[in-house]
C-alpha cells in the first residue's frame, strides 16, 4: 500500500500548499498551472516506468523458468 500511498501523499501535500499560497498571497495562475501540470506529468511517467519494470521483471522471471 505504501508504494502508491507515498506518491499520493506527496501530491496531496503539494496541492494543499499551492491552495494555501493562493488563499494567502495569490500567485499568477499560469505558474500554478505549470506546477500542477508538472506533477501530473511526473506521476504519469513514474507510474509508466513502474509498470514497465514490473512487466520486465515478470518477463525475466518467466524466461528464467523456461530456460
Amino acid at each position: 500500500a505504501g508504494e502508491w500511498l507515498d506518491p499520493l501523499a506527496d501530491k496531496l501535500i503539494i496541492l494543499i500548499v499551492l491552495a494555501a499560497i493562493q488563499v494567502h498571497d495569490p500567485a499568477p495562475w499560469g505558474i500554478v498551472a505549470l506546477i500542477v501540470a508538472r506533477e501530473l506529468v511526473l506521476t504519469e511517467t513514474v507510474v509508466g516506468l513502474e509498470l514497465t519494470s514490473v512487466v520486465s521483471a515478470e518477463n525475466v522471471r518467466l524466461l528464467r523458468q523456461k530456460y
Side-chain angles (χ1 to χ4, degrees), residues 18-48:
L18 283 173
I21 290 171
Q22 285 301 99
V23 168
H24 178 67
D25 186 21
W29 282 104
I31 292 174
V32 174
L34 282 173
I35 294 169
V36 170
R38 175 188 174 271
E39 292 301 320
L40 291 173
V41 167
L42 286 177
T43 301
E44 292 298 319
T45 303
V46 168
V47 168

Side-chain angles (χ1 to χ4, degrees), residues 3-67:
E3 296 166 353
W4 61 274
L5 277 178
D6 185 47
L8 182 64
D10 291 343
K11 304 303 176 212
L12 186 61
I13 288 171
I14 289 170
L15 290 176
I16 289 171
V17 168
L18 283 173
I21 290 171
Q22 285 301 99
V23 168
H24 178 67
D25 186 21
W29 282 104
I31 292 174
V32 174
L34 282 173
I35 294 169
V36 170
R38 175 188 174 271
E39 292 301 320
L40 291 173
V41 167
L42 286 177
T43 301
E44 292 298 319
T45 303
V46 168
V47 168
L49 288 174
E50 286 176 354
L51 289 176
T52 303
S53 64
V54 168
V55 170
S56 297
E58 181 66 19
N59 287 343
V60 169
R61 186 182 64 78
L62 291 174
L63 284 172
R64 284 184 180 161
Q65 285 178 352
K66 243 183 180 181
Y67 300 105

